[in-house]
């Protein structure tokens, strides 16, 4: 199995669990539970009260990009790795009937769940597409805003994802994504264990690399804003289970693993 198959299998399994007792339990850290330090309490209850319970239950992100992306009525939004569809449905409400929200996902089970959630939510300005974020099935210059929630860290071809995002955005379009980011050097083995705890199987980018790769792809006004910084205690049980001496490595990971909101803009004239 290559990495993409591993990711697909993991999220197919997570989609199947929605509505069962193990709902949303997708990563080693068992994300999706009320106490999970990564996925819990990301959304305003008033916002989610209007959504189907299964869309909320399937939420596996690490931020709330729709709240930060400043979506406007009439805009076209694309969610990379849309999962059960929570951010697509929230975006559709923000852009209204004159706008549209696309969700893109490679996992059939997630797409089926998202389409069922769309049906339950009774929204029409939404379309879920099957495909990979490295090969976006939309034309050049067709989207106003790209959002994503904890998906880019799962890709082994991050440059390709950024190039595709740049291609499909209209001139002046925005990228506004939540992702796991590493700040500063961490010994390789400890970094890998922390990444596996967060669920970043392909590895999280260092924030300076994130900025450099987006800039390289052509984006401007790139910024990385931490939204949740993880503590060693969040990951303690997992790291101990992996044979690490948590108290010894604590100073090496302090303030280094975080969820962040990454913003960038495609220049207006390209
Ligand atoms: C961590 S979940 C996040 C789902 C959703 N964004 C959320 O906040 O609940 C990752 C999702 O991205 C999808 N995914 C991962 N890698 C992908 C890729 N290369 N292309 C398309 N979808 C991908 C998975 O199938 C899964 O549904």
């Amino acid at each position: 199995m290559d990495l993409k198959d591993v990711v697909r299998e993991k999220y197919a399994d997570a989609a199947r669990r929605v509505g069962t007792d193990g709902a949303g339990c997708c990563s080693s850290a068992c994300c999706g539970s009320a106490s999970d330090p990564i996925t819990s309490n990301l959304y305003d209850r008033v916002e989610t009260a209007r959504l189907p319970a299964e869309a909320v239950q399937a939420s596996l992100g690490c931020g709330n990009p729709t709240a930060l992306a400043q979506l406007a009525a009439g805009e076209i939004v694309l969610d990379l790795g849309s999962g059960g569809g929570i951010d697509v449905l929230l975006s559709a409400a923000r852009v209204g009937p004159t706008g549209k929200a696309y969700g893109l996902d490679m996992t059939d089970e997630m797409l089926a769940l998202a389409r069922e959630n769309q049906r339950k939510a009774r929204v029409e300005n939404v379309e879920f597409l099957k495909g990979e974020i490295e090969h976006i099935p939309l034309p050049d210059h067709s989207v106003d805003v790209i959002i994503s929630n904890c998906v880019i860290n799962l890709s082994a071809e991050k440059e390709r994802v950024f190039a595709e995002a740049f291609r499909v955005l209209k001139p002046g379009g925005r990228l506004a994504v939540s992702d796991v980011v590493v700040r500063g050097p961490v010994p390789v083995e400890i970094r890998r264990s922390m990444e596996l705890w967060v669920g970043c199987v392909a590895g999280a980018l260092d924030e300076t690399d994130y900025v450099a790769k987006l800039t390289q792809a052509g984006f401007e006004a790139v910024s990385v804003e931490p939204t949740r910084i993880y503590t060693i205690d969040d990951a303690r049980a997992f790291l101990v289970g992996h044979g690490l001496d948590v108290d010894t490595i604590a100073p090496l990971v302090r303030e280094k693993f975080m969820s962040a909101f990454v913003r960038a803009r495609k220049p207006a004239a390209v």
Side-chain angles (χ1 to χ4, degrees):
M1 273 221 249
D2 74 3
L3 190 61
K4 216 168 243 171
D5 291 330
V6 172
V7 171
R8 195 181 283 109
E9 202 33 63
K10 171 171 153 171
Y11 289 104
D13 193 40
R16 282 185 219 110
R17 287 172 194 247
V18 171
T20 71
D21 285 347
C25 187
C26 74
S27 78
S28 325
C30 197
C31 54
S33 71
S35 57
D36 184 86
I38 303 162
T39 60
S40 62
N41 303 322
L42 297 173
Y43 297 91
D44 182 321
R45 286 205 181 149
V46 176
E47 229 181 358
T48 54
R50 297 188 216 111
L51 299 178
E54 292 80 359
V56 181
Q57 204 182 11
S59 162
L60 296 171
C62 55
N64 182 354
T66 57
L68 299 167
Q70 298 183 312
L71 302 177
E75 287 191 313
I76 298 178
V77 181
L78 167 65
D79 182 14
L80 301 180
S82 42
I86 184 166
D87 293 319
V88 178
L89 297 176
L90 291 172
S91 298
R94 286 179 188 260
V95 299
T98 57
K100 179 160 181 171
Y102 288 102
L104 173 64
D105 208 287
M106 66 177 182
T107 305
D108 287 322
E109 290 79 355
M110 277 295 183
L111 286 165
L113 177 64
R115 288 177 180 138
E116 180 60 12
N117 286 333
Q118 176 187 359
R119 193 189 60 75
K120 287 182 184 148
R122 298 182 194 194
V123 284
E124 297 197 347
N125 58 338
V126 159
E127 189 176 343
F128 289 99
L129 307 170
K130 179 167 180 177
E132 298 182 350
I133 62 175
E134 297 83 359
H135 310 274
I136 300 175
L138 285 174
D140 299 358
H141 307 164
S142 56
V143 170
D144 293 296
V145 185
I146 289 187
I147 61 166
S148 185
N149 200 346
C150 237
V151 179
I152 294 172
N153 66 68
L154 298 171
S155 176
E157 299 174 278
K158 293 177 175 63
E159 290 91 346
R160 169 118 207 127
V161 175
F162 297 147
E164 278 291 272
F166 191 84
R167 178 183 67 77
V168 300
L169 277 175
K170 297 176 187 174
R174 289 115 64 207
L175 179 94
V177 306
S178 293
D179 206 1
V180 177
V181 173
V182 183
R183 175 172 278 177
V186 183
V188 175
E189 210 166 300
I190 297 170
R191 179 181 176 125
R192 193 67 198 129
S193 297
M194 280 300 283
E195 284 171 341
L196 289 176
W197 169 69
V198 187
C200 310
V201 286
L205 285 175
D206 185 273
E207 67 174 339
T208 53
D209 290 339
Y210 222 119
V211 173
K213 285 183 194 302
L214 283 169
T215 307
Q216 180 81 30
F219 286 98
E220 61 184 19
V222 181
S223 66
V224 178
E225 178 192 334
T227 51
R228 196 173 276 191
I229 296 175
Y230 302 118
T231 70
I232 195 78
D233 284 326
D234 292 332
R236 185 175 285 273
F238 178 83
L239 296 176
V240 168
H242 277 67
L244 291 167
D245 176 349
V246 173
D247 294 317
T248 303
I249 68 167
L252 302 172
V253 301
R254 189 167 294 133
E255 313 247 310
K256 291 196 170 166
F257 289 85
M258 59 191 71
S259 293
F261 187 56
V262 182
R263 290 181 176 88
R265 191 175 57 228
K266 179 169 175 171
V270 278

